[in-house]
């Protein structure tokens, strides 16, 4: 088997990152900090499944929220992602996907 080493080249692919940690561990705050840097002044949208908790940083960060409520199916997540993509955001945060697994 032959391996090669070459310089990395940025191709037009979106970056996908996941944050994991305990409840109240700072995932939402960290996601908003990362998104702010990544967006470089562009629009940030949060698909929010956390109810009012998803808006707790509205005084510290500029972002739009798309509140996703039950039922938390993968189909509903897909619909929300397509909906927010129509506004051409620089960054989309999904907070959180654990609801999809719980149904």
């Amino acid at each position: 088997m032959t391996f090669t080493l070459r310089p990395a080249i940025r191709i037009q692919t979106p970056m996908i990152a996941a944050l994991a940690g305990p409840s109240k561990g700072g995932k939402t705050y960290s996601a908003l900090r990362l998104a702010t840097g990544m967006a470089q002044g562009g629009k940030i949208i949060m698909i929010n499944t956390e109810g009012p908790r998803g808006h707790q940083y509205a005084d510290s960060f500029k972002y739009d929220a798309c509140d996703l409520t039950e039922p938390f199916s993968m189909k509903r997540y897909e619909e929300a992602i397509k909906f927010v993509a129509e506004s051409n955001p620089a960054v989309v945060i999904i907070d959180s996907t654990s609801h999809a697994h719980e149904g």
Side-chain angles (χ1 to χ4, degrees):
M1 174 179 262
T2 303
F3 296 96
T4 61
L5 190 61
R6 63 178 174 80
I9 300 170
R10 175 77 171 132
I11 301 172
Q12 294 296 330
T13 57
M15 181 180 146
I16 300 173
L19 302 177
S23 182
K24 305 272 189 205
K27 297 179 298 294
T28 300
Y29 184 82
S30 295
L32 285 163
R33 285 192 66 193
L34 285 167
T36 299
M38 292 169 57
Q40 298 180 0
K43 183 188 294 191
I44 298 169
I45 298 178
M46 177 190 292
I47 297 174
N48 171 46
T49 65
E50 302 293 327
R53 287 181 42 205
H55 299 267
Q56 66 185 335
Y57 299 114
D59 291 340
S60 302
F61 298 95
K62 183 179 178 188
Y63 61 101
D64 293 340
C66 172
D67 294 330
L68 180 62
T69 58
E70 294 185 56
F72 296 115
S73 66
M74 291 309 294
K75 178 75 173 160
R76 296 254 303 140
Y77 276 85
E78 181 180 347
E79 290 169 354
I81 292 166
K82 287 180 179 178
F83 172 75
V84 301
E86 290 175 5
S87 65
N88 198 29
V91 178
V92 176
I93 298 169
I94 303 174
D95 190 6
S96 105
T97 58
S98 60
H99 294 82
H101 299 288
E102 295 169 6

